[in-house]
Amino acid sequence: MKSIITPIQIKESVVRITCDEEQGTGFLIAESLILTALHVVADSSQITINISDNMEVSGELMSKDENFDIAIIKIKVKCNEFLPLQSRTIRVDENWETIGFPYYGQANDLRLFGNVNQIQIRDRSDFILSSDKIETDYDYSGFSGAPVVLSDKVGGVILQQEDDKLLAISISKIKEYLFGTKVTSDWKV
């Protein structure tokens, strides 16, 4: 099974998604497939993906799950780096990290890290992330769709900001959806 060894590998697999006046984050889960939050791409007629080497490509909505706010985007380019997903138990105080594009109109990514703050039962998100780098006064909505890396694999997807926390959905919660799409990747269930 593929492991994430360095933050550089995460950075090379994370993409900036622009749709009309919205910006979000996604990440490669296979050579040409991107996992993101559905609300990043939901009402857009054109999906533009910026991959790690500043190449801009068009994306096509391949699959979506409105209940989980998750989407898979297909691109026509094959990428060498993609992130392994892992369905597993997430624990309070576990370390996490992510890279994303929180600010609209800015091409620079931002790396955040912290601890899992809380496990919860909600319609969509099932765990909350905290970091002393998240400021309540800033809008980090562009982090929607970013990977949550736990123990060298992706354990979840960021869905939204709530005050100085980020809400995420676990791979465990969406694994049936992912398997139902017949997407192949380096998953451990």
Side-chain angles (χ1 to χ4, degrees), residues 130-145:
S130 64
S131 172
D132 59 4
K133 305 289 183 196
I134 301 172
E135 298 180 33
T136 308
D137 298 341
Y138 287 99
D139 178 5
Y140 296 92
S141 59
F143 265 118
S144 291

Side-chain angles (χ1 to χ4, degrees), residues 39 69 102-103 112 122 125 127-129 131 133-145 157-168:
H39 69 266
D69 190 23
Y103 314 116
L112 284 180
R122 277 201 174 184
S125 62
F127 64 108
I128 299 174
L129 307 170
S131 172
K133 305 289 183 196
I134 301 172
E135 298 180 33
T136 308
D137 298 341
Y138 287 99
D139 178 5
Y140 296 92
S141 59
F143 265 118
S144 291
V157 180
I158 294 173
L159 295 181
Q160 69 185 67
Q161 177 184 357
E162 190 172 278
D163 301 320
D164 63 344
K165 308 274 189 272
L166 297 172
L167 279 57

Side-chain angles (χ1 to χ4, degrees), residues 9 14 16 31 39 46 51 54 69 71 97-98 134 136 141:
Q9 288 174 301
V14 171
R16 181 166 47 102
E31 291 177 333
H39 69 266
Q46 182 176 353
I51 54 180
N54 290 325
D69 190 23
E97 72 175 293
T98 193
I134 301 172
T136 308
S141 59

Side-chain angles (χ1 to χ4, degrees), residues 9-142:
Q9 288 174 301
I10 300 169
K11 185 174 179 149
E12 289 177 355
S13 300
V14 171
V15 300
R16 181 166 47 102
I17 302 172
T18 309
C19 301
D20 305 320
E21 297 298 314
E22 298 295 322
Q23 178 172 301
T25 302
F27 59 98
L28 288 151
I29 59 171
E31 291 177 333
S32 301
L33 298 177
I34 297 165
L35 183 60
T36 190
L38 176 60
H39 69 266
V40 172
V41 297
D43 297 324
S44 181
S45 58
Q46 182 176 353
I47 301 169
T48 304
I49 309 291
N50 290 84
I51 54 180
S52 67
D53 57 4
N54 290 325
M55 184 184 341
E56 192 173 281
V57 298
S58 293
E60 176 186 343
L61 182 61
M62 183 181 131
S63 177
K64 65 181 180 178
D65 187 302
E66 293 177 2
N67 292 327
F68 292 138
D69 190 23
I70 292 293
I72 296 176
I73 308 300
K74 184 166 181 62
I75 57 175
K76 293 182 179 171
V77 175
K78 290 193 180 213
C79 301
N80 294 329
E81 290 293 336
F82 54 91
L83 301 179
L85 305 178
Q86 185 176 42
S87 172
R88 65 180 194 72
T89 302
I90 296 170
R91 294 176 175 80
V92 172
D93 290 330
E94 186 172 3
N95 293 331
W96 63 272
E97 72 175 293
T98 193
I99 295 177
F101 298 91
Y103 314 116
Y104 180 76
Q106 291 188 0
N108 295 337
D109 57 37
L110 178 65
R111 179 176 178 249
L112 284 180
F113 50 90
N115 295 335
V116 174
N117 180 267
Q118 181 180 343
I119 306 298
Q120 64 181 10
I121 307 298
R122 277 201 174 184
D123 291 340
R124 291 188 175 145
S125 62
D126 56 344
F127 64 108
I128 299 174
L129 307 170
S130 64
S131 172
D132 59 4
K133 305 289 183 196
I134 301 172
E135 298 180 33
T136 308
D137 298 341
Y138 287 99
D139 178 5
Y140 296 92
S141 59

